[in-house]
Structures are given as structure tokens and as C-alpha cells.
Amino acid sequence: MSKDYAVIGLGRFGGSICRELSREGKQVLAIDIDEAKVNEFKNIASHAVILDSTDEESLKEIGIHNFEHVIVAIGDSLQASILTTVILTDLHVERITVKAQNDYHEKILRKLGVDRVIHPERDMGRRIAQNIISNNILDF
Ligand code: ATP
């Protein structure tokens, strides 16, 4: 079964991506190790599964390589995020976006060949700073 997107980790960041993609009418598979999180997304995403993404066999079983774009939004556990990413690259997932927690995490992700690395807090901070500057310019 081929679907468009898979989001691994349904915290605030992954959950928000999942909601927005679904709102835009995209096919999204929501994945989390936590049953309560998965239940929360059953009626939001097209599909939702409880799964440990560090388990290669589980990812193979759901046919993760068929997804066009997989978003890894595991925050706290660098180990789980990195291991999940290694599995996804080994399985030749076409497009992978990963949430990085810090520069060290980003460096490892880049070494793994991930071209889409996001630091939500840092990126949003930069954007807001730019907004503040442009608003100030408009004010003058
Ligand atoms: P946010 O700021 O986006 O809420 P966070 O930093 O709090 O994120 P975490 O709680 O560490 O992020 O992880 C986000 C989600 O990833 C959680 O819902 C957690 O259950 C899930 N998660 C963690 N490890 C795994 C794993 N191995 N497989 C699948 N999901 C996982």
C-alpha cells in the first residue's frame, strides 16, 4: 500500500505536521510508540499505528519504503531519532525530514545524508526576529 506521508513521533511538532497535512487532504500515516498518542490521531490521520521506529522489521512490515516522504519527529531520544533515520536511509526512503535537537544531532544527520534537517525552535526564532525587524521598518 503506497501513501504519501508518514510522520514518526506525534509530539507537539510531529502532531502539528500530521494535523496540517491531513487538513490539506494528504494521506498521512501517523506513527508513535505510545498507544495514547496513536489513539489521539486515529480520527485525524488516514492511518495510525503503534510502532517502535527503531525496530527495522516493524518499519519493513508497514512498507515504509513506499512512502514518498517520511518525517522523523522524535525529540528527546537522540538515539531513537538517529537509529530510525539510519533504518530509513538503509531502506532507501525517498525523502526524509528529521527534527534535530541540537547542532551535534544535526551533524550526525547530515553525515547520514539527510538533506532536510529542521530545528523548530531555532528556525522559528529566526523567522520571528526577521518579522520583528521588518515590522519595525514598516513602522518607521
Ligand atoms: P515535541 O516538542 O514535538 O512535543 P518532544 O521533544 O517532546 O517533542 P518526544 O516526546 O521526545 O518529543 O518525542 C515525540 C514523540 O515521539 C512522542 O510522542 C514519543 O512517544 C515518540 N517516540 C519516541 N521514541 C519513539 C520510537 N522509538 N518510535 C516511535 N515513536 C517514538
Side-chain angles (χ1 to χ4, degrees):
M1 190 165 39
S2 172
K3 293 187 212 75
D4 286 347
Y5 302 93
V7 178
I8 302 175
L10 304 170
R12 281 170 303 171
F13 177 68
S16 149
I17 290 184
C18 200
R19 282 175 203 279
E20 192 61 16
L21 288 171
S22 303
R23 208 179 57 79
E24 289 285 335
K26 305 294 180 196
Q27 290 280 306
V28 187
L29 173 65
I31 299 169
D32 203 287
I33 199 169
D34 180 347
E35 185 177 359
K37 284 276 164 65
V38 172
N39 285 338
E40 196 186 321
F41 281 84
K42 271 194 173 136
N43 296 323
I44 297 166
S46 345
H47 296 82
V49 293
I50 307 163
L51 177 151
D52 178 355
S53 60
T54 63
D55 178 8
E56 185 167 358
E57 287 311 310
S58 302
L59 286 179
K60 276 185 185 163
E61 266 171 34
I62 60 161
I64 199 77
H65 63 280
N66 291 321
F67 287 81
E68 280 171 34
H69 197 151
V70 180
I71 296 102
V72 182
I74 298 171
D76 285 349
S77 168
L78 290 197
Q79 187 174 316
S81 168
I82 291 165
L83 187 49
T84 299
T85 307
V86 169
I87 295 170
L88 295 175
T89 52
D90 277 355
L91 294 175
H92 305 294
V93 170
E94 218 175 301
R95 296 167 81 188
I96 307 169
T97 294
V98 188
K99 171 188 168 178
Q101 221 187 33
N102 51 46
D103 292 342
Y104 164 74
H105 190 189
E106 172 166 9
K107 206 168 178 179
I108 294 171
L109 294 169
R110 300 261 180 226
K111 288 256 178 211
L112 291 173
V114 177
D115 53 354
R116 292 177 186 82
V117 179
I118 299 167
H119 292 246
E121 293 86 359
R122 189 188 71 185
D123 298 346
M124 187 53 78
R126 282 183 182 159
R127 204 166 297 171
I128 289 173
Q130 288 302 327
N131 252 328
I132 291 168
I133 293 168
S134 44
N135 280 345
N136 282 345
I137 289 166
L138 286 180
D139 283 349
F140 281 110

